[in-house]
């Protein structure tokens, strides 16, 4: 490859990794920074700096004619060698977008170098995130996850899918109302109607967690799986949601896993697993997202300027998938049109 | 204006004399005798010539430079600047800058020098001060001998300032020592700069070579342990002879030093104490103990408390028998210094979740050394595929070492009978 600086330039971009459960997000960021540094510093550095030295050679005939023969030699300057200076890059600016707590797993967006600016924009933009929440009926714990201290145990025979879906619809209704409240539009106006019709209502950044979508994708008591699209959320809130679903069903439930399957335009398919946290794979991931990123920044500018104008389609996949034996993760078609529309707008 | 018959006042005279004397008390080299006969002309003193004749005294032992300071050539007008540059180099001179008065006075006087003849010659008749002229022609040999001094800083954060000038540092860099790592430690940089290659470093390098170490290994050993260069040679030899008396072969001693460079910095008593501890607690025969120590020599360097705690953990918390612990430690000596929390986490998962009995874990101790996530993901993948069978008595048995030690592609194809893409997709569902 080329010099360390060239390699670093190629690595500046946004990419997503799959964070395994049980690991702090900072450890992921540090591991990736260490891997990138190792590869960047391993790249061949430019030629060593040479210094001209003059050495006086002894003349042929000694004594009579004192002619000095000077030899000019070029020797490498040791103070510029990597052994004395050390590696050219000692730290890299690797930033993390929307964080995931240690219990959760899923898509984690990272940015390197100059791309951290775009990452900051992305972080503050009103994108939604998709989660898969696995729950188990029958017990309640203090931190809403199955690793916590059990507070109570209940029966769950009376729970049916119908009852569960009723509860979910009720919760979603409540959140829709909250969405209207926190989006800051006057409910009586035509503008509010237009936005609501197109699904364009967006809560401002200071709102509490709002679920824009909630459904059950797997139900086999005591285990069940929910899918939630949300904004301004924390993973603890989602675990609490499972707990509340259990309470609403006159039972109790505990969360067995929180998995983020989409973060804005970053989906599960392009997320890099642990084996691929290397410079070459990250470069590939950056390329995949680069066009998406360009379109996204344009869209975020335009949406900030004129909210009601752009079309945003929100698609849901079909019926609930009952089978567990599904290796390929269920990735619903996400907010792709936001970026695609912008791409269309850009290239007339 | 001044007339030739002008007399100086007493005070001026005294000052003038003092100025001259202070210049003259400093030695100047004999090869400038030829230039002595020229008349004093301070205005035409060139800084370049002044600098060229100033050879700094370096604190490096390797340099054989003398502390000659040929200020005799210098004009007093430039002396002030020189004083500053000289004190910058941390060298205290006999004279201090009492020249300012002289400096101010003399140029005035010298401005009228050609008009007067008598007073100046009487003043400078103490010793002729050589004067320099930029237009003066000198021979090639003399020109070659002009050395432009490098202003070596007296203190620095980096060894890069001294490496080109210091013989020791240059040779260490050529050996392969990473100076950038060493200069981050306190005092190590100063220590290295003060070493003399011939008398300090070379004997120890030869000693290490006698042990059987290769040239390529010497650099990394000094990078890890620079204090081997300040350890007394007789003590080093005593420790090696002690290890030989404990029947460690020469090859094993060499490999131990290359793996744990701090080994020979510990005194005989400490080495003896540790060897005794391992001999007593592990309860193995001396040959096996030697084998463990040879493979993991940092057992002799570090503290014994973590080792004691780990042994307690294996015995009381995990419930392994003594024989099993002995077998595990001979297979994987790193278990003695492993992290307790990681060990507990892995053992809990393997024993309680995967359901593997103690006897099987004792047979494959490398699982306790593996990464937790790797074990978890691979086990869950096999469980999903219905191939998580760890009982040797049953068919389709998957041994623990294959579960843990195989690389991903080999594991997927031979153990799980699936593709690597399937495994990655599965990882994303966890």
């Amino acid at each position: 490859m080329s010099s360390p600086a060239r390699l670093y330039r190629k690595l500046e971009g946004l990419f997503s990794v799959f964070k395994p459960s049980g690991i702090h997000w900072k450890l992921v960021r540090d591991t990736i920074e260490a891997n990138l540094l190792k590869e960047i510093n391993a790249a061949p550095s430019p030629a060593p700096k040479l210094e001209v030295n003059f050495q006086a050679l002894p003349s042929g005939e000694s004594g009579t004619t004192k002619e000095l023969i000077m030899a000019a030699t070029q020797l490498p300057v040791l103070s510029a060698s990597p052994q004395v200076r050390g590696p050219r890059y000692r730290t890299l600016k690797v930033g993390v977008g929307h964080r995931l707590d240690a219990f959760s797993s899923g898509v984690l967006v990272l940015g390197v170098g100059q791309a951290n600016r775009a990452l900051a924009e992305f972080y503050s933009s009103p994108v939604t995130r998709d989660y898969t929440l696995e729950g188990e009926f029958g017990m309640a714990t203090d931190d809403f996850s199955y690793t916590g201290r059990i507070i109570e145990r209940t029966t769950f025979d009376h729970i049916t899918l119908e009852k569960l879906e009723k509860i979910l619809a009720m919760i979603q209704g409540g959140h829709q109302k909250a969405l209207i409240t926190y989006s800051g539009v006057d409910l009586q106006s035509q503008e509010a109607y237009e936005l609501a019709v197109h699904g364009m209502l967006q809560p401002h950044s200071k709102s509490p967690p709002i679920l824009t979508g909630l459904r059950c994708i797997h139900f086999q008591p005591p285990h069940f799986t929910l899918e939630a699209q949300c904004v301004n959320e924390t993973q603890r809130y989602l675990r609490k949601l499972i707990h509340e679903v259990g309470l609403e069903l006159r039972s109790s439930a505990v969360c067995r896993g929180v998995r983020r399957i989409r973060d804005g335009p970053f989906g599960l398919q392009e997320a890099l697993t642990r084996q691929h946290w290397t410079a070459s794979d990250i470069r590939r991931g950056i390329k995949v997202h680069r066009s998406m990123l360009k379109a996204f920044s344009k869209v975020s500018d335009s949406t900030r300027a004129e909210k009601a104008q752009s079309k945003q389609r929100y698609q849901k996949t079909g019926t609930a998938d009952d089978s567990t034996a599904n290796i390929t993760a269920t990735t619903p078609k996400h907010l792709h049109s936001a970026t695609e529309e912008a791409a269309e707008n850009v290239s007339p | 204006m001044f007339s030739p018959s002008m007399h100086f006042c007493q005070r001026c005279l005294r000052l003038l004399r003092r100025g001259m004397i202070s210049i003259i008390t400093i030695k100047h080299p004999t090869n400038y005798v030829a230039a002595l006969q020229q008349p004093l002309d301070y205005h035409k003193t060139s800084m370049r010539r002044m600098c060229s004749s100033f050879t700094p005294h370096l604190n490096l032992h390797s340099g054989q430079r003398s502390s000659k300071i040929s200020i005799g050539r210098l004009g007093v007008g430039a002396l002030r600047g020189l004083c500053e540059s000289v004190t910058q180099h941390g060298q205290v001179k006999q004279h201090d800058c009492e020249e300012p008065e002289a400096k101010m006075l003399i140029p005035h006087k010298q401005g009228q020098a050609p008009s007067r003849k008598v007073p100046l010659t009487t003043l400078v008749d103490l010793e002729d001060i050589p004067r320099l002229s930029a237009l003066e022609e000198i021979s090639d040999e003399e020109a070659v001998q002009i050395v432009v001094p490098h202003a070596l800083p007296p203190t620095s954060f980096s060894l890069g300032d001294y490496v080109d000038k210091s013989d020791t540092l240059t040779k260490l860099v050529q050996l392969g020592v990473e100076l950038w790592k060493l200069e981050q430690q306190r005092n190590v940089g100063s220590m290295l700069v003060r070493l003399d290659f011939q008398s300090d470093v070379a004997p120890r390098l030869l000693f290490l070579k006698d042990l059987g170490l290769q040239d390529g290994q010497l650099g990394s050993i000094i990078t890890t342990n620079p204090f081997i260069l300040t350890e007394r040679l007789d003590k080093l030899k005593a420790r090696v002879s002690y290890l030989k008396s404990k029947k460690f072969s020469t090859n094993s001693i060499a490999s131990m030093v290359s793996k744990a460079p701090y080994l020979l910095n510990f005194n005989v008593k400490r080495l003896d104490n540790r060897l005794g501890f391992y001999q007593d607690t592990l309860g193995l025969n001396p040959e096996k103990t030697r084998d463990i120590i040879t493979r993991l020599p940092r057992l002799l360097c570090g503290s014994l408390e973590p080792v004691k705690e780990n042994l307690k953990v294996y015995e009381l918390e995990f419930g392994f028998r003594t024989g099993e612990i002995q077998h595990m430690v001979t297979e994987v000596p790193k278990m003695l210094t492993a992290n307790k929390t990681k060990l507990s986490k892995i053992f809990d998962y393997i024993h309680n979740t995967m359901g593997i009995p103690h006897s099987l874990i004792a047979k494959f101790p490398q699982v306790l050394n593996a990464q937790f996530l790797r074990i978890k993901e691979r086990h869950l993948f096999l469980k999903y595929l219905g191939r998580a069978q760890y009982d040797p008595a049953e068919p389709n048995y998957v041994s623990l070492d294959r579960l843990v030690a195989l690389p991903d592609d080999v594991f997927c194809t031979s153990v799980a009978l699936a593709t690597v893409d399937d495994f990655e997709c599965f990882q994303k569902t966890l």
Side-chain angles (χ1 to χ4, degrees):
Chain A
M1 238 277 114
S2 39
S3 67
R6 284 246 172 91
L7 192 55
Y8 175 64
R9 287 276 300 144
K10 287 199 158 80
L11 282 167
E12 283 184 320
L14 288 183
F15 59 98
S16 62
V17 301
F18 187 88
K19 181 188 100 63
S21 157
I23 294 183
H24 199 272
W25 60 265
K26 193 160 184 294
L27 194 66
V28 173
R29 193 215 73 91
D30 290 343
T31 310
I32 285 176
E33 188 186 334
N35 287 358
L36 289 179
L37 269 176
K38 202 160 61 166
E39 296 208 33
I40 287 176
N41 286 322
S45 44
K49 206 164 70 168
L50 298 172
E51 190 185 49
V52 177
N53 279 26
F54 290 101
Q55 285 159 6
L57 300 175
S59 57
E61 322 92 54
S62 56
T64 47
T65 47
K66 291 192 179 171
E67 274 177 13
L68 280 169
I69 306 165
M70 301 296 293
T73 49
Q74 282 195 315
L75 299 170
V77 177
L78 279 179
S79 57
S81 74
Q83 270 174 274
V84 181
R85 276 182 56 172
R88 295 194 75 88
Y89 288 87
R90 306 234 185 171
T91 53
L92 283 182
K93 283 195 174 164
V94 179
V96 177
H98 297 109
R99 299 179 292 270
L100 277 169
D101 64 353
F103 177 76
S104 321
S105 61
V107 174
L108 187 66
V109 178
L110 295 148
V112 177
Q114 292 292 324
N116 280 312
R117 285 193 211 154
L119 188 69
E121 264 191 52
F122 172 69
Y123 183 79
S124 51
S125 67
V127 282
T128 57
R129 283 164 287 284
D130 242 349
Y131 286 87
T132 307
L133 308 166
E134 285 165 43
E136 189 183 329
F137 291 119
M139 50 181 177
T141 55
D142 57 350
D143 68 347
F144 315 125
S145 75
Y146 74 102
T147 51
R149 186 173 58 92
I150 296 174
I151 292 174
E152 68 171 1
R153 284 191 190 275
T154 56
T155 57
F156 49 85
D157 308 321
H158 58 280
I159 300 176
T160 61
L161 181 61
E162 209 183 87
K163 286 185 190 166
L164 178 64
E165 285 190 344
K166 237 191 241 180
I167 299 294
L168 293 181
M170 194 184 76
I171 293 174
Q172 197 174 352
H175 278 269
Q176 283 286 97
K177 284 192 197 132
L179 179 65
I180 294 167
T181 319
Y182 284 100
S183 65
V185 290
D186 182 14
L187 202 56
Q188 304 302 321
S189 65
Q190 177 65 15
E191 181 203 346
Y193 171 75
E194 295 282 337
L195 288 175
V197 155
H198 291 121
M200 267 298 304
L201 288 171
Q202 282 160 7
H204 55 75
S205 57
K206 295 279 167 59
S207 74
I210 289 178
L211 300 172
T212 55
L214 184 62
R215 66 186 181 123
C216 175
I217 55 174
H218 172 244
F219 181 76
Q220 198 164 13
H223 299 285
F224 66 102
T225 310
L226 303 181
E227 192 192 312
Q229 281 98 25
C230 43
V231 81
N232 285 340
E233 85 292 354
T234 57
Q235 286 80 46
R236 190 167 193 274
Y237 177 79
L238 296 168
R239 290 200 292 277
K240 193 174 171 194
L241 177 74
I242 297 274
H243 171 82
E244 280 169 6
V245 161
L247 287 179
E248 292 290 333
L249 287 165
R250 310 261 184 84
S251 175
S252 53
V254 94
C255 181
R256 276 219 157 247
V258 175
R259 183 167 64 108
R260 186 193 278 163
I261 52 182
R262 181 184 61 81
D263 186 354
F266 297 93
L268 207 56
Q269 210 176 11
E270 313 93 40
L272 302 170
T273 47
R274 263 182 323 132
Q275 303 91 287
H276 296 297
W277 291 352
T278 57
S280 46
D281 289 309
I282 287 172
R283 236 190 358 256
R284 221 179 306 134
I286 287 172
K287 260 192 200 164
V288 164
H289 290 302
R290 213 188 277 276
S291 52
M292 232 194 279
L293 162 70
K294 274 193 194 150
F296 189 80
S297 60
K298 288 198 170 73
V299 164
S300 62
D301 287 338
S302 64
T303 34
R304 256 186 259 114
E306 8 165 355
K307 254 193 222 172
Q309 298 299 321
S310 60
K311 294 174 208 157
Q312 221 177 19
R313 256 173 286 119
Y314 179 75
Q315 292 181 18
K316 284 187 183 180
T317 50
T319 51
D321 196 10
D322 265 2
S323 62
T324 40
N326 191 5
I327 294 177
T328 52
T330 50
T331 46
K333 290 197 180 69
H334 49 78
L335 287 175
H336 60 86
S337 55
T339 55
E340 279 173 11
E341 295 295 326
E344 284 169 44
N345 289 343
V346 165
S347 54
Chain B
M1 297 315 300
F2 286 97
S3 65
S5 56
M6 191 193 67
H7 292 279
F8 296 112
C9 67
Q10 280 299 315
R11 202 196 286 174
C12 299
L13 211 60
R14 207 183 312 134
L15 283 169
L16 215 53
R17 269 219 186 95
R18 195 170 3 132
M20 289 295 138
I21 286 167
S22 58
I23 294 170
I24 286 155
T25 45
I26 291 147
K27 300 180 283 186
H28 44 265
T30 48
N31 58 356
Y32 298 130
V33 171
L36 290 181
Q37 301 310 319
Q38 309 207 3
L40 273 169
D41 200 12
Y42 294 105
H43 286 293
K44 293 211 182 125
T45 312
S46 68
M47 285 297 286
R48 193 180 55 83
R49 287 287 284 244
M50 172 195 77
C51 287
S52 66
S53 53
F54 172 66
T55 54
H57 170 61
L58 295 168
N59 276 328
L60 307 169
H61 295 277
S62 55
Q64 288 299 318
R65 315 210 182 150
S66 63
S67 54
K68 295 184 287 186
I69 297 119
S70 48
I71 302 197
R73 261 198 176 188
L74 308 173
V76 178
L79 206 59
R80 176 151 232 191
L82 182 68
C83 289
E84 280 151 15
S85 64
V86 155
T87 47
Q88 216 177 40
H89 291 269
Q91 300 161 38
V92 180
K93 298 284 150 278
Q94 261 75 31
H95 73 280
D96 29 35
C97 297
E98 49 185 351
E99 273 68 51
E101 298 150 79
K103 172 189 130 187
M104 290 199 305
L105 283 172
I106 291 174
H108 288 307
K109 306 301 169 211
Q110 293 317 304
Q112 296 106 41
S115 61
R116 298 176 279 105
K117 286 166 199 145
V118 172
L120 214 62
T121 46
T122 51
L123 282 173
V124 301
D125 112 324
L126 299 162
E127 234 176 307
D128 280 313
I129 297 159
R131 268 162 300 136
L132 305 175
S133 163
L135 304 172
E136 187 191 327
E137 286 199 18
I138 51 172
S139 65
D140 275 347
E141 278 172 2
E142 237 181 74
V144 157
Q145 279 157 27
I146 291 173
V147 174
V148 179
H150 292 259
L152 280 182
T155 55
S156 170
F157 291 109
S158 153
L159 283 175
D161 292 333
Y162 304 116
V163 73
D164 287 311
K165 295 282 150 267
S166 162
D167 185 37
T168 322
L169 292 177
T170 312
K171 294 231 167 78
L172 285 177
V173 171
Q174 283 162 2
L175 260 182
V177 176
E178 309 260 345
L179 289 183
W180 64 276
K181 279 187 197 166
L182 293 179
E183 71 193 13
Q184 283 164 9
Q185 297 175 45
R186 223 190 288 182
N187 301 327
V188 173
S190 321
M191 179 198 87
L192 288 176
V193 164
R194 275 188 230 116
L195 290 175
D196 175 45
F197 192 80
Q198 292 307 324
S199 61
D200 299 325
V201 182
R204 282 162 187 84
L205 292 177
L206 290 168
F207 163 77
L208 288 173
K209 284 204 75 171
D210 286 336
L211 276 185
L213 290 163
Q214 309 297 321
D215 288 345
Q217 294 174 303
L218 295 175
S220 69
I221 288 174
I222 298 176
T223 310
T224 318
N225 179 19
F227 302 106
I228 204 169
L229 299 174
T230 50
E231 199 69 22
R232 274 175 45 186
L233 257 180
D234 56 345
K235 284 191 178 172
L236 290 173
K237 288 182 178 156
R239 286 153 200 172
V240 171
S241 63
Y242 167 76
L243 287 173
K244 285 202 174 124
S245 77
K246 292 287 169 190
K247 299 186 193 136
F248 282 95
S249 73
T250 331
N251 285 345
S252 54
I253 295 178
S255 84
M256 277 160 70
V257 173
S258 78
K259 280 188 194 173
Y262 272 99
L263 184 68
L264 294 182
N265 276 46
F266 294 112
N267 55 22
V268 171
K269 187 172 164 198
R270 189 174 154 137
L271 292 176
D272 189 44
N273 185 26
R274 270 160 178 64
L275 281 173
F277 167 78
Y278 289 115
Q279 180 75 66
D280 297 334
T281 47
L282 293 179
L284 297 163
N285 63 26
E287 200 188 304
K288 281 194 178 165
T289 320
R290 272 199 293 274
D291 180 59
I292 290 174
I293 302 283
T294 312
R295 282 158 64 193
L296 196 67
R298 65 164 198 250
L299 288 172
L300 293 182
C301 296
S303 162
L304 292 177
E305 293 308 317
V307 177
K308 288 180 195 167
E309 282 191 24
N310 274 12
L311 287 170
K312 280 258 150 53
V313 159
Y314 291 129
E315 200 188 319
L316 300 172
E317 197 179 320
F318 297 170
F320 283 109
R321 291 195 297 265
T322 322
E324 289 171 337
I325 297 177
Q326 280 180 345
H327 174 80
M328 289 200 292
V329 167
T330 10
E331 288 272 313
V332 180
K334 199 176 161 189
M335 277 176 49
L336 290 170
T337 49
N339 185 356
K340 247 192 318 181
T341 39
K342 267 196 224 172
L343 270 178
S344 312
K345 199 170 165 190
I346 293 174
F347 180 81
D348 174 51
Y349 192 80
I350 291 177
H351 187 58
N352 298 329
T353 315
M354 285 164 73
I356 295 173
H358 285 86
S359 51
L360 211 56
I361 301 177
K363 243 176 124 181
F364 301 107
Q366 54 267 57
V367 283
L368 291 172
N369 199 20
Q371 269 193 341
F372 172 73
L373 266 178
R374 187 175 239 214
I375 302 172
K376 180 176 156 196
E377 285 175 354
R378 287 184 174 188
H379 164 71
L380 288 172
F381 189 48
L382 290 178
K383 189 169 155 195
Y384 173 76
L385 294 171
R387 290 182 193 278
Q389 211 287 93
Y390 306 112
D391 187 3
E394 305 288 319
N396 293 328
Y397 159 66
V398 173
S399 70
L400 285 176
D401 61 338
R402 289 192 75 198
L403 176 76
V404 150
L406 289 179
D408 273 339
D409 43 358
V410 180
F411 170 78
C412 289
T413 45
S414 61
V415 180
L417 306 176
T419 60
V420 182
D421 290 331
D422 288 337
F423 183 53
E424 279 176 29
C425 288
F426 180 77
Q427 276 182 309
K428 292 185 190 178
T429 64
L430 291 177

